[in-house]
Amino acid sequence: MEAVDDDLNRAMMLDGNAVAGRFFALFGAEMTANLTECASCGQDHMMGALHAFTHAPGVVLRCPSCEAVMFRLVETPRGIYFDARGAAFVRIER
Amino acid sequence: MNRPLQWQIATIAAIRPETPGVKTFTLDLPDWMPHRPGQHYDLRLRAVDGYEAQRSYSIASAPETKGQVQLTIERINDGEVSGFLHDVAVAGDRIEVRGPIGGYFVWEVPLGGPLMLIAGGSGVVPLMAMLRHRAAAGSQVPARLLFSARSYDDLIFREELDRLGADGSGLEVVYTLTRSQPSGWRGYGRRIDPAMLATVAGPLGRTPLCFICGPTLLVEAAANGLAEIGVPVSRIRTERFGPSGS
Protein backbone atom coordinates (compact mmCIF):
# COMPACT_ATOMS: atom_id res chain seq x y z
CA MET A 1 0.00 0.00 0.00
CA GLU A 2 2.79 2.38 0.90
CA ALA A 3 4.51 1.72 -2.42
CA VAL A 4 1.26 2.52 -4.24
CA ASP A 5 0.93 5.79 -2.31
CA ASP A 6 4.54 6.64 -3.12
CA ASP A 7 3.99 5.98 -6.80
CA LEU A 8 0.86 8.10 -6.81
CA ASN A 9 2.61 10.91 -4.96
CA ARG A 10 5.44 10.75 -7.47
CA ALA A 11 3.03 10.80 -10.41
CA MET A 12 1.24 13.87 -8.99
CA MET A 13 4.50 15.70 -8.31
CA LEU A 14 4.94 19.04 -10.06
CA ASP A 15 7.73 21.63 -10.18
CA GLY A 16 8.16 24.92 -8.36
CA ASN A 17 6.87 26.45 -11.60
CA ALA A 18 3.41 25.27 -10.68
CA VAL A 19 3.24 27.69 -7.74
CA ALA A 20 4.93 30.59 -9.51
CA GLY A 21 1.75 32.68 -9.39
CA ARG A 22 1.28 32.20 -5.67
CA PHE A 23 4.91 33.05 -4.98
CA PHE A 24 4.68 36.11 -7.22
CA ALA A 25 1.64 37.26 -5.26
CA LEU A 26 3.41 36.58 -1.95
CA PHE A 27 6.79 38.16 -2.69
CA GLY A 28 5.76 40.73 -5.30
CA ALA A 29 8.39 39.32 -7.63
CA GLU A 30 8.94 36.55 -10.09
CA MET A 31 10.55 33.86 -7.93
CA THR A 32 11.07 30.75 -10.04
CA ALA A 33 14.51 31.71 -11.37
CA ASN A 34 15.74 32.75 -7.90
CA LEU A 35 18.22 30.53 -6.07
CA THR A 36 17.46 28.83 -2.80
CA GLU A 37 19.66 26.59 -0.68
CA CYS A 38 18.45 23.44 1.01
CA ALA A 39 19.11 23.59 4.74
CA SER A 40 19.42 19.80 4.86
CA CYS A 41 21.90 19.00 2.10
CA GLY A 42 23.31 22.40 1.15
CA GLN A 43 22.52 22.12 -2.56
CA ASP A 44 21.40 25.25 -4.40
CA HIS A 45 18.48 25.09 -6.82
CA MET A 46 16.27 27.53 -8.62
CA MET A 47 12.84 27.79 -6.99
CA GLY A 48 11.25 26.56 -10.21
CA ALA A 49 13.24 23.33 -10.03
CA LEU A 50 11.97 22.28 -6.60
CA HIS A 51 9.55 19.38 -6.41
CA ALA A 52 6.05 20.65 -5.69
CA PHE A 53 3.24 18.71 -4.06
CA THR A 54 0.03 20.66 -4.50
CA HIS A 55 -2.76 18.13 -4.02
CA ALA A 56 -3.48 19.07 -0.44
CA PRO A 57 -4.83 22.12 1.38
CA GLY A 58 -1.28 23.48 1.35
CA VAL A 59 1.71 23.35 -0.97
CA VAL A 60 4.90 21.49 -0.05
CA LEU A 61 8.15 22.16 -1.89
CA ARG A 62 10.95 19.63 -1.55
CA CYS A 63 14.62 19.67 -2.46
CA PRO A 64 15.18 17.78 -5.74
CA SER A 65 18.57 16.56 -4.46
CA CYS A 66 17.70 15.13 -1.04
CA GLU A 67 13.87 15.37 -0.97
CA ALA A 68 13.83 17.26 2.34
CA VAL A 69 10.89 19.64 2.82
CA MET A 70 12.09 23.18 2.14
CA PHE A 71 8.88 25.23 2.07
CA ARG A 72 5.29 24.90 3.13
CA LEU A 73 2.64 27.35 2.03
CA VAL A 74 -0.92 27.38 3.31
CA GLU A 75 -3.40 30.05 2.28
CA THR A 76 -6.50 30.62 4.38
CA PRO A 77 -9.20 33.27 3.91
CA ARG A 78 -7.61 35.34 6.68
CA GLY A 79 -3.93 34.84 6.14
CA ILE A 80 -1.04 33.06 4.54
CA TYR A 81 1.26 30.71 6.45
CA PHE A 82 4.71 30.40 4.90
CA ASP A 83 7.13 27.98 6.56
CA ALA A 84 10.62 28.20 5.10
CA ARG A 85 12.62 26.48 7.82
CA GLY A 86 13.92 23.90 5.34
CA ALA A 87 15.74 26.59 3.34
CA ALA A 88 19.07 28.10 4.36
CA PHE A 89 18.30 31.11 2.16
CA VAL A 90 16.33 32.43 -0.78
CA ARG A 91 18.12 34.90 -3.00
CA ILE A 92 15.75 37.47 -4.45
CA GLU A 93 17.16 39.01 -7.61
CA ARG A 94 16.99 42.84 -7.67
CA MET B 1 10.13 42.86 -14.49
CA ASN B 2 8.73 43.11 -10.99
CA ARG B 3 5.43 44.80 -11.77
CA PRO B 4 2.54 43.80 -9.51
CA LEU B 5 0.75 40.65 -10.60
CA GLN B 6 -2.90 41.60 -11.03
CA TRP B 7 -5.95 39.64 -12.03
CA GLN B 8 -7.55 41.01 -15.18
CA ILE B 9 -10.67 40.18 -17.15
CA ALA B 10 -9.82 38.57 -20.47
CA THR B 11 -12.32 38.07 -23.28
CA ILE B 12 -12.33 34.83 -25.25
CA ALA B 13 -11.81 36.00 -28.85
CA ALA B 14 -11.81 32.56 -30.48
CA ILE B 15 -11.89 28.86 -29.68
CA ARG B 16 -10.25 26.42 -32.08
CA PRO B 17 -10.21 22.63 -31.75
CA GLU B 18 -6.72 21.16 -32.19
CA THR B 19 -7.22 17.44 -31.50
CA PRO B 20 -10.18 15.48 -30.09
CA GLY B 21 -9.34 16.50 -26.48
CA VAL B 22 -7.51 19.78 -26.97
CA LYS B 23 -8.65 23.30 -27.85
CA THR B 24 -6.89 26.61 -28.26
CA PHE B 25 -8.45 29.61 -26.54
CA THR B 26 -7.40 32.99 -27.88
CA LEU B 27 -7.77 35.66 -25.20
CA ASP B 28 -7.94 39.42 -25.67
CA LEU B 29 -6.20 41.05 -22.72
CA PRO B 30 -6.86 44.66 -21.70
CA ASP B 31 -3.51 44.70 -19.88
CA TRP B 32 -1.39 42.66 -22.30
CA MET B 33 2.35 42.52 -21.94
CA PRO B 34 4.88 40.43 -23.87
CA HIS B 35 5.56 37.08 -22.24
CA ARG B 36 8.67 34.95 -22.23
CA PRO B 37 8.07 31.73 -24.20
CA GLY B 38 7.40 28.94 -21.69
CA GLN B 39 5.49 31.15 -19.27
CA HIS B 40 1.93 30.52 -18.18
CA TYR B 41 -1.20 32.34 -17.08
CA ASP B 42 -3.21 31.48 -14.00
CA LEU B 43 -6.92 31.26 -14.75
CA ARG B 44 -9.60 31.59 -12.07
CA LEU B 45 -13.25 30.64 -12.09
CA ARG B 46 -15.53 31.90 -9.32
CA ALA B 47 -19.01 30.69 -8.50
CA VAL B 48 -21.67 32.97 -6.99
CA ASP B 49 -21.32 31.11 -3.67
CA GLY B 50 -17.66 32.16 -3.47
CA TYR B 51 -16.20 28.80 -4.54
CA GLU B 52 -13.03 29.26 -6.55
CA ALA B 53 -11.02 27.04 -8.84
CA GLN B 54 -7.65 28.11 -10.17
CA ARG B 55 -5.35 26.47 -12.70
CA SER B 56 -2.17 27.36 -14.58
CA TYR B 57 -2.12 27.04 -18.37
CA SER B 58 0.91 27.42 -20.61
CA ILE B 59 0.93 30.04 -23.33
CA ALA B 60 1.11 28.56 -26.83
CA SER B 61 1.51 31.77 -28.82
CA ALA B 62 4.68 33.75 -29.40
CA PRO B 63 5.19 37.10 -27.65
CA GLU B 64 5.31 38.61 -31.13
CA THR B 65 1.49 38.20 -31.24
CA LYS B 66 0.48 41.44 -29.56
CA GLY B 67 -2.59 42.12 -27.43
CA GLN B 68 -3.58 38.47 -27.28
CA VAL B 69 -2.41 35.20 -25.86
CA GLN B 70 -3.36 31.71 -26.90
CA LEU B 71 -3.76 29.05 -24.24
CA THR B 72 -3.95 25.52 -25.63
CA ILE B 73 -5.75 23.37 -23.08
CA GLU B 74 -6.37 19.65 -22.80
CA ARG B 75 -9.72 18.56 -21.43
CA ILE B 76 -9.02 16.57 -18.25
CA ASN B 77 -11.69 14.09 -17.13
CA ASP B 78 -13.50 15.66 -14.17
CA GLY B 79 -11.37 18.77 -14.69
CA GLU B 80 -13.35 21.63 -13.18
CA VAL B 81 -11.65 24.35 -15.16
CA SER B 82 -10.72 22.55 -18.39
CA GLY B 83 -14.19 20.96 -18.48
CA PHE B 84 -15.84 24.38 -18.22
CA LEU B 85 -13.61 25.84 -20.92
CA HIS B 86 -14.17 22.93 -23.31
CA ASP B 87 -17.89 22.33 -22.76
CA VAL B 88 -19.40 25.62 -21.68
CA ALA B 89 -17.25 28.61 -22.68
CA VAL B 90 -17.96 30.37 -25.98
CA ALA B 91 -16.30 33.25 -27.79
CA GLY B 92 -17.19 36.51 -26.10
CA ASP B 93 -17.15 35.03 -22.59
CA ARG B 94 -15.01 36.79 -20.02
CA ILE B 95 -12.66 35.04 -17.62
CA GLU B 96 -10.22 36.10 -14.93
CA VAL B 97 -6.52 35.61 -15.62
CA ARG B 98 -3.20 36.78 -14.21
CA GLY B 99 0.19 36.56 -15.82
CA PRO B 100 2.48 36.06 -17.55
CA ILE B 101 4.16 34.02 -14.81
CA GLY B 102 7.37 32.01 -14.58
CA GLY B 103 11.08 32.61 -15.08
CA TYR B 104 12.51 29.13 -14.88
CA PHE B 105 11.01 27.17 -17.77
CA VAL B 106 11.52 29.86 -20.40
CA TRP B 107 13.56 30.20 -23.56
CA GLU B 108 14.28 33.23 -25.67
CA VAL B 109 16.54 33.57 -28.69
CA PRO B 110 19.41 35.24 -26.73
CA LEU B 111 19.65 32.14 -24.51
CA GLY B 112 20.98 30.30 -27.55
CA GLY B 113 21.17 26.57 -28.03
CA PRO B 114 21.37 24.07 -29.44
CA LEU B 115 17.87 23.46 -28.24
CA MET B 116 16.47 20.03 -27.36
CA LEU B 117 12.74 20.14 -26.66
CA ILE B 118 10.90 17.08 -25.39
CA ALA B 119 7.12 16.98 -25.09
CA GLY B 120 4.55 14.49 -23.89
CA GLY B 121 0.98 15.18 -25.02
CA SER B 122 -0.16 18.71 -24.20
CA GLY B 123 3.32 19.31 -22.77
CA VAL B 124 4.09 20.52 -26.28
CA VAL B 125 2.24 23.78 -25.55
CA PRO B 126 5.00 25.82 -23.84
CA LEU B 127 7.54 24.36 -26.27
CA MET B 128 5.33 25.53 -29.15
CA ALA B 129 5.57 29.07 -27.78
CA MET B 130 9.37 28.70 -27.90
CA LEU B 131 9.31 27.39 -31.48
CA ARG B 132 6.85 30.05 -32.67
CA HIS B 133 9.04 32.70 -31.06
CA ARG B 134 12.14 31.16 -32.65
CA ALA B 135 10.42 31.32 -36.07
CA ALA B 136 8.99 34.83 -35.56
CA ALA B 137 12.43 36.10 -34.56
CA GLY B 138 14.06 34.46 -37.60
CA SER B 139 16.38 32.47 -35.35
CA GLN B 140 18.58 29.74 -36.83
CA VAL B 141 19.47 28.21 -33.44
CA PRO B 142 19.72 24.45 -34.09
CA ALA B 143 16.70 22.84 -32.49
CA ARG B 144 15.03 19.49 -32.20
CA LEU B 145 11.62 18.60 -30.88
CA LEU B 146 10.91 15.06 -29.73
CA PHE B 147 7.14 14.84 -29.33
CA SER B 148 5.49 11.80 -27.73
CA ALA B 149 1.74 11.29 -28.14
CA ARG B 150 -0.62 8.35 -27.96
CA SER B 151 -1.67 8.38 -31.62
CA TYR B 152 -1.31 10.35 -34.84
CA ASP B 153 -4.54 12.23 -34.18
CA ASP B 154 -3.25 13.27 -30.75
CA LEU B 155 -0.29 15.17 -32.23
CA ILE B 156 -1.24 18.75 -31.31
CA PHE B 157 -0.02 21.38 -33.81
CA ARG B 158 1.11 18.60 -36.19
CA GLU B 159 0.65 20.52 -39.45
CA GLU B 160 2.33 23.63 -38.12
CA LEU B 161 5.20 21.61 -36.65
CA ASP B 162 5.71 19.80 -39.95
CA ARG B 163 5.81 23.20 -41.68
CA LEU B 164 8.29 24.65 -39.16
CA GLY B 165 10.45 21.53 -39.43
CA ALA B 166 10.68 21.96 -43.20
CA ASP B 167 11.41 25.69 -43.35
CA GLY B 168 15.20 25.29 -43.48
CA SER B 169 15.81 27.15 -40.21
CA GLY B 170 17.54 24.23 -38.52
CA LEU B 171 14.58 22.71 -36.68
CA GLU B 172 13.94 18.99 -36.83
CA VAL B 173 10.71 17.49 -35.50
CA VAL B 174 10.62 13.83 -34.42
CA TYR B 175 7.44 12.07 -33.31
CA THR B 176 6.89 8.93 -31.28
CA LEU B 177 3.41 7.39 -31.06
CA THR B 178 3.10 5.19 -28.01
CA ARG B 179 -0.28 3.53 -28.51
CA SER B 180 -1.13 3.27 -32.18
CA GLN B 181 0.68 4.12 -35.36
CA PRO B 182 -0.89 4.64 -38.78
CA SER B 183 0.17 2.20 -41.49
CA GLY B 184 3.44 3.19 -43.08
CA TRP B 185 4.43 5.23 -40.00
CA ARG B 186 8.09 6.17 -40.14
CA GLY B 187 8.47 7.82 -36.75
CA TYR B 188 9.09 6.06 -33.45
CA GLY B 189 6.45 3.80 -31.91
CA ARG B 190 7.46 3.47 -28.27
CA ARG B 191 7.92 5.44 -25.08
CA ILE B 192 10.92 7.76 -24.83
CA ASP B 193 14.02 5.85 -23.71
CA PRO B 194 17.76 6.57 -23.51
CA ALA B 195 18.46 4.95 -26.91
CA MET B 196 15.90 7.23 -28.57
CA LEU B 197 17.30 10.26 -26.73
CA ALA B 198 20.85 9.38 -27.81
CA THR B 199 19.73 9.19 -31.45
CA VAL B 200 17.66 12.37 -31.42
CA ALA B 201 19.73 14.57 -29.09
CA GLY B 202 23.15 13.16 -30.02
CA PRO B 203 23.68 15.32 -33.12
CA LEU B 204 23.20 18.45 -30.96
CA GLY B 205 26.46 17.75 -29.11
CA ARG B 206 27.22 17.21 -25.45
CA THR B 207 25.50 20.20 -23.93
CA PRO B 208 22.18 20.99 -25.60
CA LEU B 209 19.83 23.23 -23.65
CA CYS B 210 16.94 20.89 -22.83
CA PHE B 211 13.32 21.68 -21.98
CA ILE B 212 11.04 18.78 -21.07
CA CYS B 213 7.31 19.20 -20.47
CA GLY B 214 4.65 16.56 -20.02
CA PRO B 215 3.15 14.13 -17.57
CA THR B 216 5.38 13.63 -14.56
CA LEU B 217 6.45 10.09 -15.41
CA LEU B 218 7.47 11.04 -18.96
CA VAL B 219 9.41 14.03 -17.65
CA GLU B 220 11.26 11.84 -15.14
CA ALA B 221 12.09 9.25 -17.82
CA ALA B 222 13.32 11.88 -20.28
CA ALA B 223 15.34 13.84 -17.69
CA ASN B 224 16.98 10.68 -16.34
CA GLY B 225 17.63 9.45 -19.88
CA LEU B 226 19.32 12.72 -20.88
CA ALA B 227 21.50 12.56 -17.76
CA GLU B 228 22.35 8.97 -18.65
CA ILE B 229 23.64 9.94 -22.09
CA GLY B 230 25.82 12.62 -20.52
CA VAL B 231 23.84 15.87 -20.74
CA PRO B 232 24.76 18.04 -17.72
CA VAL B 233 21.86 18.35 -15.26
CA SER B 234 22.35 22.13 -15.27
CA ARG B 235 21.25 22.17 -18.95
CA ILE B 236 17.97 20.34 -18.29
CA ARG B 237 14.79 22.19 -17.30
CA THR B 238 11.55 20.43 -16.60
CA GLU B 239 7.89 21.25 -16.26
CA ARG B 240 5.72 18.47 -14.92
CA PHE B 241 1.96 18.65 -15.15
CA GLY B 242 1.04 15.67 -13.02
CA PRO B 243 -0.53 12.37 -14.04
CA SER B 244 -1.48 12.09 -17.70
CA GLY B 245 -5.13 12.55 -18.60
CA SER B 246 -5.68 8.92 -19.48
Side-chain angles (χ1 to χ4, degrees):
Chain A
M1 190 60 207
E2 210 168 82
V4 173
D5 286 349
D6 277 357
D7 287 350
L8 187 61
N9 234 351
R10 195 83 190 161
M12 309 262 279
M13 185 176 88
L14 305 175
D15 314 85
N17 285 335
V19 283
R22 283 190 247 202
F23 274 122
F24 201 138
L26 190 61
F27 288 92
E30 171 54 54
M31 293 296 289
T32 51
N34 282 330
L35 277 184
T36 180
E37 184 172 297
C38 175
S40 299
C41 72
Q43 285 281 322
D44 290 358
H45 293 283
M46 283 193 256
M47 296 282 282
L50 303 183
H51 289 168
F53 299 84
T54 62
H55 297 269
V59 171
V60 174
L61 293 172
R62 289 179 180 270
C63 170
S65 298
C66 75
E67 301 194 338
V69 173
M70 292 181 64
F71 302 97
R72 283 180 283 208
L73 176 66
V74 176
E75 294 179 75
T76 76
R78 295 169 71 179
I80 297 171
Y81 295 80
F82 183 58
D83 172 350
R85 78 184 89 176
F89 68 78
V90 177
R91 179 178 180 275
I92 300 175
E93 199 91 23
R94 282 187 201 281
Chain B
M1 185 73 216
N2 286 337
R3 88 225 128 77
L5 183 65
Q6 305 283 6
W7 291 98
Q8 57 176 312
I9 309 287
T11 305
I12 299 177
I15 303 176
R16 185 180 69 229
E18 301 281 358
T19 67
V22 176
K23 290 181 180 175
T24 292
F25 299 82
T26 301
L27 306 182
D28 284 331
L29 295 174
D31 192 17
W32 179 87
M33 64 174 286
H35 60 273
R36 306 176 70 196
Q39 286 189 308
H40 66 262
Y41 271 80
D42 285 349
L43 196 151
R44 176 166 75 179
L45 300 179
R46 285 200 282 189
V48 280
D49 65 1
Y51 177 75
E52 268 187 35
Q54 187 181 312
R55 298 289 182 277
S56 301
Y57 293 112
S58 291
I59 303 164
S61 48
E64 286 79 4
T65 306
K66 300 198 187 310
Q68 291 187 327
V69 290
Q70 293 181 344
L71 307 180
T72 298
I73 298 174
E74 180 178 13
R75 188 187 194 293
I76 305 296
N77 284 336
D78 302 325
E80 285 176 319
V81 178
S82 68
F84 168 82
L85 291 170
H86 272 255
D87 304 342
V88 181
V90 293
D93 283 353
R94 297 173 358 134
I95 48 174
E96 278 186 291
V97 300
R98 69 175 177 190
I101 300 165
Y104 170 71
F105 195 84
V106 297
W107 181 81
E108 290 151 314
V109 169
L111 288 173
L115 201 53
M116 181 69 231
L117 309 177
I118 301 175
S122 58
V124 74
V125 174
L127 308 182
M128 193 64 187
M130 297 176 188
L131 290 176
R132 285 171 166 164
H133 162 61
R134 179 182 171 282
S139 167
Q140 307 269 323
V141 167
R144 290 190 160 201
L145 169 68
L146 174 58
F147 183 5
S148 173
R150 284 171 297 209
S151 72
Y152 190 70
D153 290 336
D154 289 314
L155 288 169
I156 307 164
F157 308 130
R158 190 189 66 240
E159 287 175 16
E160 186 177 348
L161 286 171
D162 287 343
R163 211 164 47 241
L164 290 173
D167 70 359
S169 71
L171 168 68
E172 190 168 330
V173 178
V174 178
Y175 301 118
T176 183
L177 303 178
T178 55
R179 250 182 229 177
S180 64
Q181 303 84 28
S183 59
W185 176 245
R186 290 184 301 177
Y188 288 105
R190 62 180 200 268
R191 288 172 184 268
I192 292 172
D193 56 33
M196 190 187 298
L197 291 168
T199 306
V200 179
L204 296 176
R206 301 285 294 174
T207 57
L209 185 51
C210 305
F211 292 88
I212 312 170
C213 185
T216 300
L217 297 177
L218 176 143
V219 170
E220 302 266 293
N224 292 338
L226 286 171
E228 212 171 291
I229 63 168
V231 177
V233 174
S234 62
R235 298 284 283 171
I236 304 172
R237 302 225 168 161
T238 61
E239 179 151 279
R240 300 167 172 87
F241 58 59
S244 67
S246 57

